[in-house]
């Protein structure tokens, strides 16, 4: 129970951090090409990770991993997810992108059974369905058809979920949260750095500060998510990550004066309820086993 509640609290913190990072992405994405934004921000995240690793002692101890193959796969998936979501935020409204983010628990449930041998219980499937219905209510009006933005968003959702599943696979073998932040961001910085000379545009000081803020929020979010995925199965953690809808409503109200409609409030309640259901479903069987 304690592990489940701690994991849920970490996921709630993650959603606040990642929502802030997504808001900055939406603000900056229209001004710069993806390689420039992602190369600069990932380089800053690397500096944060190196600084934190130095405080822990030897860099090799903090950043070294035994699951090198899984880490390489996670790094590749992180690169694909970053590109997919960056392009999606450029081309789609927030509601459309978050609809794809809302599919991530279902993708995680499908992948966890195969990759992690974590079969989803029937009650958890019902909770996932409840959360998915809440996501539909969050979209104020249906948007039929698809475009390139939806393809990018789908790429981001699938690869991002797979990256989280890989993170849990690594965390079950070794506790190296800083390494799980460092290596995927190193891959992102190297890949984006290749294209950087061809797309670079001068950045005013204000934009440098926005990118630095994004990198700080992203570093915190990824560090926290690794710890959360160590404590919770991926299919439990990802529905809780949909709490970022609530944070985005807050950002809209206080930052842009956008009042949420009834559908948004109802959808957020369903998403939160499904996440709490999954946490309880994960914790209660453990308590029953302890009593036997």
């Amino acid at each position: 129970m304690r592990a489940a509640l701690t994991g849920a609290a970490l996921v709630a913190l993650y959603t606040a951090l990642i929502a802030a990072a997504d808001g900055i992405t939406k603000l900056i994405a229209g001004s710069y090409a993806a390689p420039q934004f992602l190369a600069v921000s990932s380089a800053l995240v690397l500096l944060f990770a190196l600084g934190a690793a130095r405080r822990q002692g030897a860099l090799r101890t903090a950043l070294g991993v035994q699951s090198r193959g899984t880490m390489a796969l996670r790094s590749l998936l992180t690169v694909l997810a970053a590109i997919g979501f960056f392009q999606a935020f450029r081309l789609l409204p927030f509601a459309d992108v978050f609809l794809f983010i809302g599919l991530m628990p279902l993708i995680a449930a499908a992948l966890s059974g195969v990759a992690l041998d974590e079969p989803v219980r029937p009650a958890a499937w019902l909770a996932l369905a409840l959360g998915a219905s809440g996501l539909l209510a969050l979209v104020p009006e249906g948007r039929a058809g698809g475009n390139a933005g939806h393809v990018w968003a789908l790429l981001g959702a699938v690869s991002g979920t797979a990256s989280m599943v890989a993170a849990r696979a690594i965390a079950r073998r070794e506790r190296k949260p800083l390494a799980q932040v460092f290596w995927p961001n190193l891959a992102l910085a190297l890949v984006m750095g290749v294209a950087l000379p061809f797309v670079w545009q001068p950045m005013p000081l204000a934009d440098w500060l926005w990118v630095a803020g994004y990198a700080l929020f992203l570093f915190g979010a990824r560090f926290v998510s690794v710890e959360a995925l160590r404590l919770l199965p991926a299919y439990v953690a990802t529905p809780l990550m949909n709490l970022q809808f609530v944070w985005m409503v807050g950002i809209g109200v206080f930052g842009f004066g956008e009042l949420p409609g009834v559908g948004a409030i109802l959808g957020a309640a369903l998403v939160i309820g499904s996440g709490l259901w999954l946490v309880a479903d994960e914790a209660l069987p453990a308590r029953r086993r302890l009593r036997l």
Side-chain angles (χ1 to χ4, degrees):
M1 173 66 80
R2 181 176 297 176
L5 293 177
T6 302
L10 289 174
V11 172
L13 176 58
Y14 164 85
T15 61
L17 294 170
I18 201 65
D22 286 342
I24 295 175
T25 301
K26 184 69 175 176
L27 181 68
I28 295 293
S31 303
Y32 302 100
Q36 179 168 346
F37 179 79
L38 295 175
V40 173
S41 60
S42 58
L44 290 173
V45 172
L46 286 176
L47 291 178
F48 297 150
L50 286 172
R54 279 188 173 277
R55 292 178 62 88
Q56 289 189 2
L59 291 179
R60 185 172 183 178
T61 301
L63 302 180
V65 292
Q66 297 177 354
S67 309
R68 295 180 180 177
T70 309
M71 182 64 78
L73 176 61
R74 170 167 158 73
S75 300
L76 173 62
L77 293 168
T78 299
V79 172
L80 294 176
I83 296 173
F85 280 126
F86 181 89
Q87 294 295 106
F89 278 121
R90 289 187 66 179
L91 301 172
L92 296 175
F94 264 127
D96 284 44
V97 179
F98 285 143
L99 189 60
F100 283 89
I101 293 174
L103 296 175
M104 293 176 72
L106 300 176
I107 301 171
L111 293 178
S112 294
V114 176
L116 301 177
D117 193 25
E118 293 178 346
V120 184
R121 293 182 289 274
W125 279 116
L126 292 175
L128 290 168
L130 178 66
S133 65
L135 294 169
L136 296 177
L138 281 164
V139 181
E141 57 184 29
R143 293 186 171 89
N147 56 37
H150 293 95
V151 176
W152 284 114
L154 181 61
L155 172 65
V158 173
S159 54
T161 306
S163 176
M164 290 180 181
V165 172
R168 177 160 172 81
I170 296 171
R172 294 201 309 185
R173 303 187 196 110
E174 49 187 325
R175 187 176 182 181
K176 293 293 185 71
L178 282 176
Q180 293 226 48
V181 174
F182 178 82
W183 295 110
N185 275 279
L186 178 61
L188 185 60
L190 292 175
V191 172
M192 294 297 103
V194 173
L196 186 59
F198 304 100
V199 300
W200 177 263
Q201 297 180 35
M203 296 173 59
L205 177 60
D207 286 351
W208 277 105
L209 294 176
W210 279 120
V211 174
Y214 168 85
L216 184 61
F217 285 130
L218 187 64
F219 170 75
R222 288 184 173 170
F223 183 88
V224 168
S225 69
V226 169
E227 286 294 281
L229 288 166
R230 183 178 62 85
L231 298 171
L232 292 175
Y235 71 85
V236 176
T238 46
L240 287 175
M241 290 176 182
N242 286 332
L243 286 171
Q244 63 187 280
F245 282 110
V246 180
W247 296 114
M248 291 309 301
V249 168
I251 292 174
V253 170
F254 295 106
F256 304 99
E258 299 174 349
L259 295 177
V262 175
I265 295 174
L266 174 61
L270 290 173
V271 168
I272 294 171
S274 68
L276 294 176
W277 186 353
L278 282 171
V279 173
D281 186 62
E282 173 67 16
L284 292 179
R287 292 187 68 183
R288 294 192 194 105
R289 286 194 297 270
L290 290 174
R291 290 174 183 172
L292 296 178

